Amino acid sequence: MQRSAVTAVWAAAVLLVATGCSSDGGDGQRTGRIPVPAPTTEGASAGASAGAPSTGAEASESAAPAKGSAKVARTLTEGLKSPWGLAALPDGDLLVSSRDEGTITRVAEDSGKQTKVGSVPGVSPDGEGGLLGIALSPSYASDHLVYAYFTTESDNRVARMRYDDTRPAGEQLGAPDTVLRSIPKGTIHNGGRIAFGPDKMLYAGTGETGETGLAQDMKSLAGKILRMTPDGDPAPGNPVPDSLVYSPGHRNVQGLAWDSRNRLWAAEFGQNTWDELNLIEPGKNYGWPDVEGKAGRAGFTDPVVQWPTSEASPSGIAYARGSIWMAGLRGERLWRVPLDGRESAAAPQAFFEGQYGRLRTVLAVGGGKVWLVTSETDTRGTPRPGDDKILQLEVS
């Protein structure tokens, strides 16, 4: 099918979903629309509403102050190698993935002590690929499952492993159970961020692997935000029934976070001109490669905020104290974007410019407590003694 025809089918399907009608999913797939679970209002920094953002609620929101603060309360741990994904355990300890070593390490929240949990079989590090994002199952208290997004010799995939901390160090991960495979891989632009929403669905940001056309190819999982059940099936209420695609037109999504109204935000690498912070709505097209940054073109959704690529090259994001906090790799700074509902309340504010080098991952764990992971050992930085680090921030 020609690209224009595929796009037309996608647009028609999205329209049918929006109007409450059922539609043939194509290729002999199931038909009909399954109702979207009602959005919740708790745990917003770790999840998302399945359907379109709520309306009317924005009127009661207060805009975040134009200026905020961020200070390093302590360095939790040092000496990490190519850290990428980060997840907080119920007791406050952290799990951190190593992109190039293919391992997951537990870091004690009180002392910073590192304990190797285990290696993820099948990881094939290459360029920007390797062991990337990690997330805990919504039912972690009972199933102890850790999800991981990683690159193999043939694809990017998502698998889950049981974590048993009663076993010897280094042997605490069970055999991986693959829930999604065949996400296209490349030396660059593998995406990799995963997170569960308050709807208990799993979201994944993917990259277009350097093949720009894949971002607009609705049959490809590349250059998309995906939404799936914990078993890896297309999530109920997705824009097109039986499709994993939640939104197309992305170059390389590496940041996912949700605000207090369960709106999904995503950070994305631009090419030569603009990096982006996008408000993600199901079925909307975010433009790549047809547009980069704010273009005002019909059929595409502009970012809420954009930055010159030299000032950002964004990776992880988190929501805390009414703002999106975005880590910059090339920009070597932490950006604060104060929100006013669906818009930015003021110009972005930068912290720690050049102080800690490249910044990879941000994780909010309640109140103003935020974890920040540096990324100087990813082959593109200039490591200094102690790199890489996890820093505890207090933000407002």
Side-chain angles (χ1 to χ4, degrees), residues 36-107:
V36 177
T40 65
T41 56
E42 59 186 57
S45 65
S49 162
S54 59
T55 58
E58 290 85 347
S60 63
E61 290 183 80
S62 297
K67 296 297 182 181
S69 65
K71 64 179 182 180
V72 176
R74 60 171 172 152
T75 298
L76 174 63
T77 198
E78 298 184 339
L80 297 169
K81 303 304 179 186
S82 60
W84 212 101
L86 194 67
L89 293 165
D91 66 358
D93 286 1
L94 301 174
L95 296 180
V96 58
S97 63
S98 169
R99 186 193 69 183
D100 296 341
E101 296 184 343
T103 58
I104 295 177
T105 297
R106 181 170 183 155
V107 180

Side-chain angles (χ1 to χ4, degrees), residues 288-372:
W288 181 255
D290 296 273
V291 296
E292 179 183 359
K294 296 182 179 182
R297 283 182 53 180
F300 299 123
T301 299
D302 282 347
V304 174
V305 184
Q306 62 184 19
W307 292 262
T309 55
S310 61
E311 296 180 3
S313 295
S315 189
I317 62 174
Y319 175 80
R321 300 298 195 196
S323 300
I324 295 291
W325 300 83
M326 186 180 84
L329 291 165
R330 183 181 172 193
E332 297 189 352
R333 67 200 78 176
L334 178 69
W335 286 102
R336 173 185 178 266
V337 181
L339 298 182
D340 183 3
R342 299 161 54 84
E343 303 293 335
S344 57
Q349 187 180 5
F351 296 94
F352 313 130
E353 184 175 350
Q355 293 183 40
Y356 299 100
R358 295 161 59 82
L359 304 179
R360 172 68 66 181
T361 296
V362 195
L363 179 66
V365 290
K369 184 176 179 179
V370 170
W371 297 111
L372 177 64

